[in-house]
Amino acid sequence: MIDAKTLAQINGQYDCPSEAGPAWREAMALGLDMSLVEYNLSLTPWERLLRNDQAAAFIRAAQNAERSQYGSTD
């Protein structure tokens, strides 16, 4: 079951922390999804590195799939 806060975030209703500084609020005003920033900051540095490696592996796999489908684009 999804809690109310998570459901609100899924629906785009971000609850800005009261202690948020001007840079945080400006980023929000520019349309950045600060809930993603908060989530990533909740991870340990090791977890962030693992997610970065996973994203890089996904990009490499997509590039390899493109090359196998359409040939070399170099």
Side-chain angles (χ1 to χ4, degrees):
M1 180 100 163
I2 296 177
D3 60 78
K5 182 177 178 182
T6 303
L7 183 60
Q9 287 177 346
I10 289 171
N11 290 322
Q13 300 166 356
Y14 175 69
D15 186 25
C16 183
S18 59
E19 68 276 4
W24 191 274
R25 293 181 186 281
E26 184 178 349
M28 251 184 63
L30 291 171
L32 296 175
D33 187 346
M34 300 310 285
S35 66
L36 294 175
V37 175
E38 282 185 354
Y39 171 72
N40 281 300
L41 289 173
S42 76
L43 301 174
T44 66
W46 180 252
E47 290 170 323
R48 283 183 256 165
L49 286 171
L50 288 175
R51 290 184 188 269
N52 183 68
D53 288 347
Q54 292 168 345
F58 174 77
I59 290 169
R60 282 191 301 273
Q63 289 170 335
N64 290 338
E66 179 184 28
R67 284 188 195 105
S68 68
Q69 180 71 27
Y70 300 109
S72 180
T73 58
D74 296 332

